[in-house]
Amino acid sequence: RRNRYVDSLGFAAGLAYKAIGNDTGHVDLRMLVAYDRLIFPISRRLDALLFPFLGKNLLIVADRADA
């Protein structure tokens, strides 16, 4: 039915974490909780403006074909 990018700020946050994060690749739980509570709500609002162009994830809504 449709597809779109979501979490537009998550794209930039992922790049920033990769640049300054730790070398082990483990995610800091406090940073994750802070992102979910503070940044993700803002990102959802920005998705309405940026979704055709930018996002960390792809949301796909589809119908199941009856076989």
Side-chain angles (χ1 to χ4, degrees):
R1 291 186 160 209
R2 69 176 199 239
N3 59 58
R4 64 183 176 127
Y5 288 109
V6 293
D7 197 9
S8 51
L9 289 179
F11 182 79
L15 291 176
Y17 187 77
K18 192 168 189 148
I20 63 172
N22 60 27
D23 292 334
T24 65
H26 292 121
V27 176
D28 182 354
L29 184 59
R30 291 175 298 172
M31 288 179 67
L32 184 62
V33 169
Y35 178 82
D36 282 346
R37 290 185 180 163
L38 302 173
I39 306 301
F40 188 70
I42 297 167
S43 184
R44 288 187 63 181
R45 290 184 183 97
L46 283 177
D47 288 344
L49 300 172
L50 301 176
F51 79 82
F53 309 109
L54 181 67
K56 183 179 71 147
N57 302 309
L58 185 62
L59 173 67
I60 299 174
V61 179
D63 289 326
R64 188 176 99 185
D66 292 328

